[in-house]
Amino acid sequence: MPEKTISQTRDITAEEAAEKIAHLSAEIKKHNILYHAEDAPEISDAEFDALFKKLQELEAAFPELIKEDSPTQSVGAVPEDSGFTKVKHLVPMLSLSNAFSEEDVTDFLARIRRFLNMPEAAEIEIFAEPKIDGLSCSLLYEGSVLTRAATRGDGETGEDITKNVRTLKDVPLHLPADAPERIEIRGEIYMRKDDFLKLNETQAATGGKIFANPRNAAPGSLRQLDASVTAARPLKIFVYALGETSIPVSDTQSGIHARLKDWGFPVTENTALCRGTKEMMRYYNEIQAARGELPYDIDGIVYKVDDLALQQRLGFVSRAPRWATAHKFPAEQAETVLEDIVIQVGRTGTLTPVAKLAPVNVGGVIVSRATLHNEDEIARKDIRAGDHVVIQRAGDVIPQVVRVDTAKRRADSVPFAMPEICPECHSPALRKEGEVARRCTGGLACPAQAVERLKHFVSKSAFDIDGLGSKIVEEFYRDGIVEKPGDIFRLPKRADALKLETREGWGALSVKNLMAAIGKKQRIPLDRFIYALGIRQVGQATAKRLAASYGSFENWADSMKAAQDKESDAYANLLNIEDIGAAVAEDILMFFADAQQQEILEDLVAQLDKIEDHVSTADMSSPVAGKTVVFTGKLETMGRSEAKAKAESLGARVSGSVSAKTDFVICGADAGSKRKKAEDLGVTILSEEEWAELIAG
Ligand code: IVH
């Protein structure tokens, strides 16, 4: 009984409680780190839960002793297995219109005056502040307590990220007594530039995901089902607006800003009240000049009418307020020397040229590489090794080369020539007609392709093997321990013989954990399995579609072998899957036609316990469940994709061609050869109305 526990707990003095709380908090934090970061738990889950519960009980009895950084406030230890709950915003979260020039700023003011019927000379006070490049977040406080935090989502509905946001040290969990009973505060969650670079270093060392820029790192860090991952990421917030509030907080935007600051929220310091275009432009230029020195990325200025009564009158147009606009900065640029052009070989053999740059500061981030995309791009811009180049970072850490300063080009410079042999395996690198990419033909004999394929295989959306990150895959490949996916699953049997625990950075416990993690992945859902194979052009969405269409691995593999014949029904059915055109089909069929790939695939399948069949979410009680249907001719009441989606949701399999296995052919107007074939084979033919009646039950 909770009451009893609390009253019993209350029997101790506050001083004793404080001591116990501090002790328990420290213990829990230690075990959290041992468990999550070091993969080396020292106590059982049940013992951990007992410590956690004891702390919760003490805090419930002595709420005045709850510390902001208490483990109970960050739910650090409790991994979640459900998705995020959707939340409807009380007031929609809108976006902002954009301004790009002084003229746009003048227009913004003129529009406001016109709407309010103000004379041209009338001055409107504008509150200006930096536009933070992060992701927006809504914080709801009820009775002074943070009760809900949500992402913007589509503006109407977002995701509940309360647990994650509670781990941000920047976000007060309580408001002072003078705050309204109910208030929604909005702001931008972001990552500092230096924290971002540090995070990427750690991610690289642990084989985690590398983020392109601070703006991308923020949502990835926040939308974590396990809030302890968020807690370990250096996220911060700036607040800048209100949603719903039970009583007004101020009558100006600048007043809101001041109140939010008083309540302990981080707000941007460098704001200004401006009158007229001139003052707004002066502020814009000032902030733009200081942009590189700011510790966080900003992508412009937000101007807001300061008077809230005017804001109210101005209202909204479609998805954006009339009383605010975002004045965007151009992308940040810098000049440097392009020292060399190096070639990277990717998972599917694509050769990507990358510029090695003399390190240069671009808007506060030191940059030493830039992507050059492909050989056509290099030729178009005539980029050569040794050139002085202007590079640009649009928030991104991997920037682009904008142009070459040919006036500074050395006389002995030569145009870049794309290698025609793979720099990694020396196989021919060919460029197919009509394609921009040049590809290594070495296949899995090319070490670069083989290791990239393995990295993809173990990645988060594929087999997701805990403790087997990119770095370890590279080491294992280099040392000949893992050369193909099947080898991973043989590791548990070979771990002793390979003396894995004697490797640098390894111990008996980490080996044991890795082997356990590998064992857990011997069962895998079909869609993940297909994605993991790394077939060119088969991403997660296509893998899901293939899994849903074929149901089982055996059926998929058999069908792909049959589909090698372009006249076959199997081929027609493959093309009939949404988003699979001839080019994607070709890549899938090539994978199944390649003897080496098939050998690797069979070896892998033999190592697994089970590739789990796709579980259909379709309504199997329908009269068409399990039937094969073909739509042909022009349908009147619905589009082809709609008809197909509807049939599939009722458990039917939709095929592109008629065969003896077809159950129904639904004919719209002008049905031709398929109708004829159905008649010849004696397959039931339905009109659109008959089909509608049938599925209506
Ligand atoms: S005010 C009615 N102020 O920019 C919209 N937004 O492009 C009120 N943003 O969704 C927004 N810094 O996520 C405001 N100082 C700032 C901002 C800011 C960044 C974001 C916000 C908004 C997006 C629109």
Side-chain angles (χ1 to χ4, degrees):
M1 293 295 111
E3 282 86 0
K4 200 172 152 211
T5 321
I6 288 175
S7 66
Q8 279 177 346
T9 312
R10 254 302 184 192
D11 287 341
I12 61 173
T13 66
E15 214 171 302
E16 286 169 310
E19 208 174 289
K20 282 198 167 155
I21 286 176
H23 179 71
L24 279 169
S25 300
E27 276 291 300
I28 291 170
K29 277 182 200 164
K30 181 182 97 184
H31 290 299
N32 248 336
I33 294 170
L34 285 170
Y35 183 90
H36 287 289
E38 298 179 13
D39 263 347
E42 287 178 1
I43 56 174
S44 71
D45 289 0
E47 288 172 293
F48 182 90
D49 291 346
L51 287 178
F52 201 84
K53 190 148 165 276
K54 184 80 199 145
L55 177 62
Q56 280 177 319
E57 284 167 0
L58 278 165
E59 288 182 336
F62 297 92
E64 66 278 14
L65 296 179
I66 301 177
K67 289 238 167 62
E68 247 181 57
D69 63 353
S70 164
T72 59
Q73 305 301 297
S74 61
V75 237
V78 198
E80 301 273 329
D81 52 11
S82 69
F84 291 94
T85 316
K86 298 264 180 264
V87 286
K88 195 147 173 55
H89 295 301
L90 304 168
V91 178
M93 291 181 80
L94 301 158
S95 51
L96 290 170
S97 61
N98 288 324
F100 296 98
S101 63
E102 180 163 352
E103 199 188 338
D104 291 348
V105 176
T106 307
D107 282 352
F108 166 68
L109 294 176
R111 271 200 309 274
I112 291 172
R113 277 196 212 91
R114 225 177 305 127
F115 190 88
L116 297 172
N117 214 359
M118 280 177 153
E120 225 169 276
E123 294 279 22
I124 307 161
E125 294 227 292
I126 297 288
F127 185 69
E129 61 183 317
K131 184 171 185 300
I132 313 299
D133 204 1
L135 82 152
S136 41
C137 174
S138 142
L139 308 168
L140 180 65
Y141 291 82
E142 290 167 306
S144 287
V145 178
L146 174 66
T147 52
R148 196 185 81 185
T151 61
R152 176 176 184 276
D154 64 1
E156 301 286 338
T157 312
E159 283 176 332
D160 190 322
I161 47 163
T162 314
K163 286 181 185 160
N164 309 73
V165 168
R166 283 206 179 117
T167 70
L168 267 67
K169 290 196 191 62
D170 263 6
V171 176
L173 297 173
H174 298 274
L175 294 188
D178 67 330
E181 160 62 23
R182 182 182 171 83
I183 184 167
E184 190 203 341
I185 294 165
R186 292 176 178 180
E188 200 83 354
I189 293 182
Y190 69 96
M191 201 177 281
R192 283 171 57 115
K193 296 178 203 171
D194 53 356
D195 285 337
F196 160 74
L197 294 173
K198 261 187 259 155
L199 172 65
N200 262 357
E201 267 172 37
T202 325
Q203 292 288 98
T206 56
K209 183 179 156 71
I210 303 294
F211 299 100
N213 54 45
R215 189 195 52 226
N216 288 356
S221 299
L222 196 61
R223 291 185 67 265
Q224 289 283 344
L225 287 174
D226 178 356
S228 68
V229 177
T230 307
R233 300 276 172 86
L235 292 173
K236 298 195 159 289
I237 195 170
F238 278 126
V239 298
Y240 47 66
L242 299 183
E244 201 197 57
T245 145
S246 54
I247 46 161
V249 165
S250 168
D251 47 18
T252 58
Q253 188 71 43
S254 44
I256 292 177
H257 186 87
R259 283 297 286 283
L260 288 171
K261 186 176 173 190
D262 285 348
W263 291 341
F265 287 96
V267 290
T268 52
E269 293 297 338
N270 35 14
T271 62
L273 262 183
C274 310
R275 286 159 188 265
T277 309
K278 260 216 185 80
E279 286 184 22
M280 288 157 82
M281 286 308 297
R282 192 188 311 140
Y283 174 77
Y284 173 90
N285 289 325
E286 248 175 54
I287 299 290
Q288 192 183 351
R291 185 183 182 191
E293 268 101 70
L294 291 178
Y296 43 87
D297 273 333
I298 60 174
D299 58 344
I301 299 296
V302 183
Y303 303 124
K304 302 171 190 174
V305 171
D306 196 45
D307 185 337
L308 298 189
L310 291 184
Q311 283 192 8
Q312 185 73 28
R313 281 175 61 197
L314 284 158
F316 304 89
V317 242
S318 61
R319 317 273 321 126
R322 279 195 194 83
W323 46 265
T325 198
H327 190 179
K328 292 293 192 72
F329 290 139
E332 287 171 294
Q333 297 191 337
E335 198 182 307
T336 188
V337 175
L338 187 155
E339 291 173 340
D340 199 6
I341 296 177
V342 296
I343 303 292
Q344 275 178 359
V345 183
R347 167 167 65 84
T348 59
T350 307
L351 271 55
T352 305
V354 175
K356 279 182 71 182
L357 307 167
V360 60
N361 184 330
V362 195
V365 173
I366 304 292
V367 164
S368 57
R369 290 163 88 80
T371 170
L372 296 171
H373 304 288
N374 54 57
E375 56 195 291
D376 287 1
E377 174 87 358
I378 298 179
R380 197 168 59 76
K381 292 179 180 159
D382 187 18
I383 300 168
R384 306 180 184 186
D387 276 350
H388 286 253
V389 290
V390 173
I391 60 168
Q392 168 170 304
R393 183 177 80 92
D396 288 351
V397 164
I398 306 240
Q400 328 251 331
V401 173
V402 185
R403 71 187 133 80
V404 173
D405 187 347
T406 43
K408 292 189 185 155
R409 178 171 279 168
R410 285 168 47 163
D412 60 356
S413 106
V414 285
F416 172 74
M418 191 76 174
E420 290 176 6
I421 50 169
C422 170
E424 300 280 347
C425 72
H426 311 290
S427 303
L430 302 180
R431 182 174 172 180
K432 272 208 238 155
E433 234 186 84
E435 286 189 7
V436 279
R438 187 174 287 278
R439 290 206 174 90
C440 161
T441 53
L444 290 170
C446 172
Q449 287 189 57
V451 78
E452 291 304 318
R453 278 277 284 278
L454 283 169
K455 285 191 208 167
H456 173 82
F457 184 82
V458 300
S459 67
K460 267 259 167 306
S461 311
F463 268 71
D464 188 19
I465 298 174
D466 257 358
L468 196 54
S470 298
K471 243 188 128 162
I472 295 176
V473 168
E474 270 172 24
E475 285 175 24
F476 280 5
Y477 182 82
R478 183 196 61 205
D479 298 346
I481 295 173
V482 170
E483 282 168 354
K484 52 184 192 282
D487 293 342
I488 295 171
F489 296 95
R490 276 185 284 270
L491 277 178
K493 278 172 252 143
R494 300 170 59 215
D496 289 344
L498 290 167
K499 294 207 168 59
L500 289 184
E501 77 284 353
T502 62
R503 294 178 70 86
E504 205 189 315
W506 291 77
L509 196 59
S510 44
V511 172
K512 188 171 144 247
N513 284 340
L514 176 60
M515 298 312 134
I518 291 172
K520 269 199 230 157
K521 294 299 158 86
Q522 280 181 310
R523 288 179 80 91
I524 183 111
L526 179 59
D527 61 326
R528 272 185 180 259
F529 178 83
I530 295 176
Y531 172 71
L533 297 177
I535 301 170
R536 195 185 299 158
Q537 300 199 73
V538 178
Q540 275 175 278
T542 307
K544 282 206 165 76
R545 292 209 175 94
L546 288 166
S549 298
Y550 293 99
S552 71
F553 170 70
E554 293 72 22
N555 186 35
W556 178 52
D558 289 347
S559 303
M560 293 308 94
K561 281 167 200 155
Q564 299 290 333
D565 171 7
K566 300 271 168 75
E567 302 296 316
S568 65
D569 288 348
Y571 183 68
N573 287 340
L574 176 60
L575 284 187
N576 198 40
I577 297 172
E578 204 181 332
D579 284 346
I580 296 192
V584 179
E586 188 59 36
D587 283 330
I588 301 173
L589 294 181
M590 256 179 29
F591 178 84
F592 278 91
D594 182 319
Q596 194 192 8
Q597 306 272 22
Q598 289 313 295
E599 205 183 300
I600 290 171
L601 178 63
E602 277 161 28
D603 173 64
L604 167 63
V605 173
Q607 294 301 317
L608 298 177
D609 283 343
K610 183 149 187 59
I611 302 168
E612 293 163 2
D613 289 356
H614 173 78
V615 186
S616 163
T617 50
D619 169 10
M620 297 312 278
S621 66
S622 147
V624 299
K627 305 284 188 210
T628 301
V629 305
V630 174
F631 291 95
T632 184
K634 196 172 156 23
L635 302 177
E636 302 288 339
T637 58
M638 50 192 167
R640 189 59 71 83
S641 335
E642 189 188 349
K644 189 164 175 283
K646 176 76 191 169
E648 282 169 354
S649 76
L650 295 170
R653 196 182 288 280
V654 181
S655 167
S657 65
V658 179
S659 75
K661 283 192 226 144
T662 312
D663 294 292
F664 302 114
V665 175
I666 299 97
C667 294
D670 305 324
S673 62
K674 289 183 192 169
R675 183 184 185 114
K676 172 92 182 42
K677 190 160 179 200
E679 282 167 0
D680 293 347
L681 291 169
V683 172
T684 310
I685 296 176
L686 300 177
S687 70
E688 237 181 300
E689 297 90 81
E690 286 167 334
W691 166 253
E693 267 168 42
L694 176 66
I695 60 176

